[in-house]
Amino acid sequence: MARGPLSLSLLPWVFVLCAAPLPTWAYEGAVRHDEPADAGIHVPVLTRAPELLHFVDAVYPEEAKALQLDASVKMAITIGADGSVTDVQVLEPAGHGFDEAAVAAVKQFQFSPAEVDGVPAPVQIEYVYNFRFTLPPDAGTPETDGGVAVDAGVPTSTLTGQLIARGSRHRVQAALVRCGDDPDAAEALSDEDGRFTLVTSAGGCDVKVAANGFQLFQTHEELPPNGTLEVRYFLMPEVVGYQTVVRGQREKKEVVRRTLERQELQKVPGTFGDPVRVIQNFPGVARMPFGLGQLIVRGAAPDDTKTMFDGVEIPLLFHLGGGPSVVNAEFLDRVDFYPGGFGSRYGRAIGGIVDVATRKGASDTWHGSVKVDLLDTSVFLEAPVVDGVSAAVAARRSYVDALLPFVLPEDPEGGTLLVLPRYWDYQVRVDFGAKRGEDLVPGRPQNRFYVMAFGSDDTLQVVATGGGRNRDVSLDVETLFHRMKGDWTWRFGKMTSVFAPYAGYDKAGLAFGEADLDLDRYNLGAREDFELDLDEHLVMRAGFDLQFQHLVAHGEVPVVSGFQVRGWPGAEPKTEMEDFERTFNAFDGAGYLEADLKFGPFSITPGIRASQSRIHGQYRHMEEPRLFVRFQPTDRFALKASAGLYTQPPDAATLEPAPLGSPFLVHEKAFQTSLGFEQRFTDAIHLDVTGYYNRRYDLIVSPGPIEVHPDGSREEFQYANEGLGRAYGLEVLLRHDITERFFGWIAYTLNRSEARRAGSPRDYVLTSFDQTHILTAVGSYRLPWGFEVGARFRYVTGSPTTPLVHEYDQYSAETNRFRVARGEPNSVRQPPFHQLDLRIDKNWLFESWTLDTYVDVQNVYNAQNVEATYTDYRGRVEYEVPGIPILPVIGVKGTF
């Protein structure tokens, strides 16, 4: 039983390539068309920090005034989604009435709303309220000028400047700048651009700068009489390493949504600093051979999991040949990974969903990075353009194709095996929005816009020549895509609307022997997501998702039944070729509705998604009900469950008339269920355990039925909805969140993936995507002096394969090739996979930029893992294809 097709749907005509001699691969790839993670506990990402808009002076305590005392009260302030202060807790009491006075004043503060994952949300920050005692003017003290104490007859001076975070050049706001320790010393607060101005007596000034999250800055300045001294101070962050800024958590509804944040994404060993590759280290995700970028999620075929970029579907998430993701690490805001049971907002997938989100460009000043290693070079730049407009741009180009031939193993009999990938990608984003704080005017809607263009191009060449192969093999694959997307976010009160139109172009090419096949796809679409937060018990969400595709397939392939010039056995036959060009249109429109119902510790999310499709002139309609239930009796423990129907439409090309397709195909379907629990042991350590059972049916398999007409003619269809599948297992994730020095996790998956054909006497058998045991351990530790070390270990059960059973040669004169005799399908396994990867980073923090060097070593002890097998042309001997040997990648990255 074969499941269909290559990435980007290289059309059902691929089957005609079977007329050409091919090596027999033990690993069954996709023949059909076409969570970083939180273990159920979301690690939110602060996309917009709160800003103090309204300050209230505290009433100076009478007791402290009588004693002429100063004080600093450190507090934890909880800021609501509307920017108001909802709770204040004193962390470091000062006594003498200072604590009560500070709390009373802070409760009257007004902030701009913080945004978590782009949505207004409550957060908690640390704040220091400073009390400085000064005697009234009539007490014989020096006269004051603008509230700043100065000695009578002593000339004044002005100290003005800007506060900048050392190493990153971010502006430091709300920092306290003082001149000396005297109670009547001059002081000032920095604004949103980090600028400050204070007036004090001329002469020596012991400057002290205190800011949350930064070490105390001290220096001495000589201030000129009746003059101005302008300075720039670079403040050292308290922790140059892992930090979690947001303590609040976004509401959950999915049973498993795993989210990684930027600091965590770039430090996982074995990923070369690539953010999205981290997904491959979490429960529910099996290994692809050779480290290829396709995702096998809960035993489903790679094409059953869809990848999104800022909510827009893209044909691939990783560059071919095991390369990095198509997203520059600096451009990324977060990665949401749903291994199953995702909400009604997503569709057209019966596996999982990966949604990569980019971030807005900097609004304070220019920032950027340059990364160079042995695989590729990337550049990132972000900056404000004009007031209310910011931009970010990234680009990357590889040269791994020039280096891989030096590390790939040679054939023991003198042959060569070359895997030569080459890729580039780019992202450009321009944001438009109001000035800071202007979107807080009561009764006025908030509007934000951005326009984004992104794309990627991959070329992968595989060449096998000489040695014991008996036949040279050459394969060329190209995948290219471009997208242009707009995004308009509108908020008014408790309503939020996000409208996102997009357009794009995809190109896929395959050249094998004499055959050459290309597919051009033109995409138009739009999304609308609307949310209404009625009260604490009810949140409603609704929207639509429209997609139109125009496909043009063209190329040169062997005729389905043409003349073939026979050669000696094993030699390439000469086949008659034909040119072709076909066009297809496909439209899929879907609407969804879901609600979050909350009653004490219970939350229930019912939802439904309905779609209407017109694919290659045929209509299809589907409804997909889904339900999520969560019971959280305490802050540290929760039970969760889900059930839902998920469907995936057939590709337009598969609906071709026979013999190239089957016009009667319907949606593939999966009924997904899960049950699990979450347990948080400490603020940083938590456990997630989820069991799942997925029943898949109406899967598209090949070959299709044979229809005999009354006149005796036969019509052979290429496909049929006769595939049945089931996957069940257990996912365990023990995770240590980002802290000052450490992050890491242990992930284990127990999975069983089986399939059969409806009406077949054969029972369920293992699929080629079954990997029963998957264990991954990841950890990274921050050492002194800017060093960081990390390790990743993986153990994976070998993939199922069909054994070679060679009793005698089987030669077919009709096809001029030998037949390969095999035993029971997927009845044996390849050897287990195991590998250790290490990463060492060294960080240098300069005044206005940061330098990071790293060594990322894959397969430290050079394990000889078998990734695939193939036979000689007679089917007598099976050859093993090893994975990549020990591979050290040295890189350097500069950030400013």
Side-chain angles (χ1 to χ4, degrees):
M1 179 177 67
R3 294 282 316 274
L6 302 173
S7 173
L8 208 57
S9 306
L10 284 179
L11 304 179
W13 289 308
V14 171
F15 85 94
V16 300
L17 296 180
C18 294
L22 296 174
T24 303
W25 297 92
Y27 191 93
E28 177 184 314
V31 187
R32 191 174 53 88
H33 25 279
D34 281 90
E35 261 174 0
D38 70 349
I41 299 291
H42 174 60
V43 179
V45 178
L46 185 69
T47 53
R48 182 174 181 180
E51 298 175 15
L52 181 59
L53 303 177
H54 177 62
F55 178 84
V56 175
D57 287 316
V59 178
Y60 217 95
E62 292 298 329
E63 177 187 352
K65 188 184 299 183
L67 298 174
Q68 300 185 8
L69 298 178
D70 293 343
S72 295
V73 182
K74 187 175 183 180
M75 297 167 285
I77 303 176
T78 302
I79 304 171
D82 59 353
S84 63
V85 176
T86 60
D87 185 56
V88 180
Q89 300 292 330
V90 176
L91 300 178
E92 297 180 3
H96 303 288
F98 286 117
D99 305 333
E100 294 79 2
V103 170
V106 169
K107 285 185 175 180
Q108 303 176 63
F109 283 7
Q110 180 64 43
F111 291 83
S112 65
E115 292 185 3
V116 177
D117 300 336
V119 177
V123 298
Q124 189 180 80
I125 65 172
E126 290 182 358
Y127 186 85
V128 179
Y129 201 109
N130 296 286
F131 292 85
R132 298 293 178 262
F133 178 79
T134 57
L135 291 174
D138 58 2
T141 59
E143 298 179 356
T144 61
D145 181 12
V148 178
V150 294
D151 292 335
V154 176
T156 62
S157 183
T158 300
L159 178 66
T160 184
Q162 190 174 36
L163 306 179
I164 300 173
R166 187 180 183 90
S168 66
R169 299 168 61 251
H170 286 290
R171 280 31 181 171
V172 181
Q173 59 178 318
L176 179 67
V177 184
R178 303 191 76 239
C179 187
D181 291 322
D182 294 337
D184 58 350
E187 63 181 32
L189 284 176
S190 60
D191 61 17
E192 64 183 32
D193 292 322
R195 298 190 178 278
F196 69 92
T197 299
L198 63 83
V199 179
T200 187
S201 301
C205 172
D206 292 323
V207 180
K208 294 188 176 181
V209 182
N212 286 325
F214 293 87
Q215 298 177 11
L216 178 66
F217 178 88
Q218 301 182 75
T219 189
H220 181 82
E221 302 285 1
E222 289 293 332
L223 306 182
N226 301 316
T228 299
L229 178 64
E230 186 168 352
V231 296
R232 296 179 73 193
Y233 295 146
F234 292 87
L235 276 58
M236 177 72 73
E238 286 184 344
V239 179
V240 186
Y242 312 134
Q243 300 181 58
T244 300
V245 179
V246 186
R247 294 186 177 89
Q249 292 191 1
R250 186 173 62 181
E251 292 293 338
K252 290 178 55 63
K253 64 178 187 298
E254 293 85 1
V255 170
V256 178
R257 177 187 63 226
R258 301 195 168 103
T259 301
L260 287 168
E261 56 181 319
R262 294 179 63 236
Q263 288 176 311
E264 209 172 11
L265 290 170
Q266 302 183 44
K267 299 294 184 179
V268 176
T271 64
F272 305 130
D274 181 76
V276 188
R277 285 170 63 123
V278 181
I279 294 173
Q280 299 170 335
N281 297 300
F282 282 96
V285 181
R287 278 196 73 253
M288 279 292 290
F290 301 106
L292 297 178
Q294 290 179 297
L295 294 175
I296 302 174
V297 179
R298 291 183 176 175
D303 296 328
D304 294 340
T305 295
K306 298 301 179 184
T307 55
M308 320 286 286
F309 192 107
D310 269 352
V312 175
E313 185 177 337
I314 56 177
L316 79 168
L317 188 58
F318 299 93
H319 290 293
L320 300 178
S325 66
V326 298
V327 187
N328 186 290
E330 296 296 327
F331 214 100
L332 182 140
D333 185 25
R334 72 179 188 276
V335 178
D336 286 329
F337 169 50
Y338 307 85
F342 42 88
S344 301
R345 180 176 184 265
Y346 298 103
R348 306 188 188 99
I350 59 174
I353 292 288
V354 179
D355 198 349
V356 178
T358 59
R359 63 185 180 91
K360 182 179 180 179
S363 58
D364 55 352
T365 188
W366 292 78
H367 298 281
S369 69
V370 178
K371 183 178 79 73
V372 180
D373 60 27
L374 297 180
L375 301 179
D376 55 47
T377 295
S378 62
V379 179
F380 171 80
L381 186 65
E382 58 180 345
V385 180
V386 296
D387 199 13
V389 180
S390 62
V393 59
R396 172 168 41 199
R397 178 65 163 82
S398 77
Y399 32 77
V400 65
D401 55 318
L403 301 178
L404 270 181
F406 295 102
V407 298
L408 288 173
E410 293 186 0
D411 188 291
E413 299 186 31
T416 60
L417 171 64
L418 298 179
V419 182
L420 305 176
R422 186 176 67 251
Y423 54 83
W424 54 259
D425 60 65
Y426 70 93
Q427 302 91 40
V428 180
R429 173 169 166 162
V430 180
D431 285 81
F432 307 86
K435 296 180 180 179
R436 295 174 185 261
E438 288 187 355
D439 54 0
L440 294 175
V441 179
R444 179 181 297 177
Q446 306 172 30
N447 289 279
R448 291 190 311 180
F449 309 87
Y450 76 80
V451 178
M452 185 171 185
F454 54 95
S456 168
D457 180 72
D458 282 80
T459 301
L460 177 64
Q461 185 179 24
V462 180
V463 179
T465 60
R469 291 179 176 80
N470 303 108
R471 177 180 302 129
D472 295 343
V473 176
S474 177
L475 173 68
D476 293 286
V477 179
E478 181 184 13
T479 301
L480 175 145
F481 75 87
H482 298 282
R483 292 289 187 275
M484 175 70 75
K485 174 183 183 283
D487 190 289
W488 171 37
T489 300
W490 174 86
R491 293 192 180 100
F492 183 73
K494 296 184 176 182
M495 296 183 294
T496 301
S497 170
V498 180
F499 177 67
Y502 65 89
Y505 168 73
D506 304 335
K507 177 181 176 61
L510 173 67
F512 192 96
E514 296 180 325
D516 190 359
L517 187 64
D518 293 291
L519 173 68
D520 297 307
R521 182 163 63 188
Y522 303 88
N523 305 273
L524 287 175
R527 294 190 63 99
E528 165 63 30
D529 297 293
F530 179 81
E531 180 175 302
L532 177 60
D533 191 349
L534 294 173
D535 54 39
E536 61 180 358
H537 301 293
L538 178 61
V539 177
M540 300 291 296
R541 286 182 296 274
F544 61 80
D545 176 10
L546 308 178
Q547 183 184 86
F548 172 77
Q549 296 179 342
H550 175 69
L551 300 92
V552 180
H554 52 91
E556 185 179 25
V557 298
V559 296
V560 177
S561 57
F563 177 73
Q564 196 176 69
V565 179
R566 302 277 196 288
W568 291 101
E572 297 285 353
K574 299 298 182 179
T575 306
E576 182 181 353
M577 308 294 289
E578 66 175 338
D579 295 325
F580 74 93
E581 180 170 330
R582 298 285 291 162
T583 61
F584 311 92
N585 291 316
F587 170 80
D588 186 278
Y592 74 90
L593 176 66
E594 64 182 16
D596 292 339
L597 305 172
K598 304 174 186 176
F599 305 97
F602 289 95
S603 62
I604 304 174
T605 303
I608 188 168
R609 179 183 177 94
S611 63
Q612 178 71 35
S613 305
R614 189 176 191 274
I615 308 172
H616 204 18
Q618 300 197 42
Y619 290 93
R620 301 288 186 270
H621 179 75
M622 286 301 304
E623 292 89 19
E624 304 170 39
R626 301 169 190 177
L627 178 66
F628 309 90
V629 180
R630 185 179 182 87
F631 174 63
Q632 188 161 356
T634 70
D635 291 339
R636 294 185 176 272
F637 180 78
L639 293 171
K640 54 188 182 178
S642 73
L645 178 64
Y646 299 83
T647 70
Q648 187 166 324
D651 285 337
T654 62
L655 296 180
E656 275 278 279
L660 299 178
S662 302
F664 48 78
L665 295 179
V666 298
H667 282 56
E668 297 181 302
K669 304 175 184 67
F671 187 73
Q672 300 187 1
T673 58
S674 65
L675 176 66
F677 70 89
E678 302 165 4
Q679 176 66 59
R680 182 170 286 274
F681 302 107
T682 69
D683 290 341
I685 301 175
H686 50 85
L687 173 70
D688 178 277
V689 178
T690 302
Y692 63 89
Y693 180 86
N694 297 340
R695 179 177 177 268
R696 305 182 180 108
Y697 56 101
D698 286 342
L699 302 181
I700 299 174
V701 295
S702 181
I706 298 176
E707 183 176 336
V708 180
H709 298 290
D711 61 359
S713 60
R714 293 159 52 93
E715 192 171 18
E716 299 182 9
F717 295 96
Q718 183 65 24
Y719 302 106
N721 287 107
E722 296 181 358
L724 300 175
R726 62 188 184 192
Y728 48 93
L730 185 71
E731 299 171 353
V732 180
L733 181 60
L734 179 62
R735 180 171 176 178
H736 190 293
D737 287 335
I738 295 178
T739 57
E740 178 180 341
R741 294 290 180 185
F742 177 78
F743 76 84
W745 62 86
I746 299 175
Y748 171 72
T749 302
L750 174 65
N751 173 75
R752 196 75 168 176
S753 178
E754 302 171 332
R756 64 182 293 264
R757 185 159 185 153
S760 170
R762 188 187 299 272
D763 197 3
Y764 280 95
V765 298
L766 294 177
T767 71
S768 296
F769 309 113
D770 178 85
Q771 294 172 14
T772 306
H773 302 284
I774 306 172
L775 176 65
T776 304
V778 172
S780 190
Y781 188 79
R782 170 72 63 172
L783 297 169
W785 309 295
F787 283 97
E788 180 181 346
V789 295
R792 175 183 68 170
F793 176 77
R794 291 181 293 168
Y795 175 90
V796 182
T797 301
S799 298
T801 185
T802 304
L804 178 67
V805 181
H806 184 271
E807 298 179 352
Y808 46 82
D809 291 346
Q810 299 182 34
Y811 173 70
S812 171
E814 180 180 352
T815 61
N816 188 39
R817 67 176 61 177
F818 286 91
R819 294 174 178 168
V820 179
R822 294 192 174 273
E824 290 296 315
N826 288 343
S827 57
V828 298
R829 289 185 181 272
Q830 294 175 355
F833 173 93
H834 54 91
Q835 181 172 302
L836 176 66
D837 308 317
L838 296 178
R839 180 183 175 100
I840 301 176
D841 288 76
K842 175 65 174 77
N843 179 276
W844 287 273
L845 192 64
F846 298 99
E847 189 173 79
S848 58
W849 66 291
T850 301
L851 176 65
D852 185 70
T853 59
Y854 59 90
V855 179
D856 200 330
V857 186
Q858 282 201 3
N859 198 5
V860 171
Y861 55 81
N862 199 27
Q864 300 298 306
N865 293 302
V866 178
E867 297 286 19
T869 60
Y870 68 96
T871 69
D872 67 328
Y873 75 92
R874 286 182 295 253
R876 294 179 178 177
V877 182
E878 196 163 49
Y879 299 93
E880 294 181 345
V881 180
I884 295 178
I886 181 172
L887 177 61
V889 173
I890 302 173
V892 59
K893 179 180 179 181
T895 306
F896 61 90

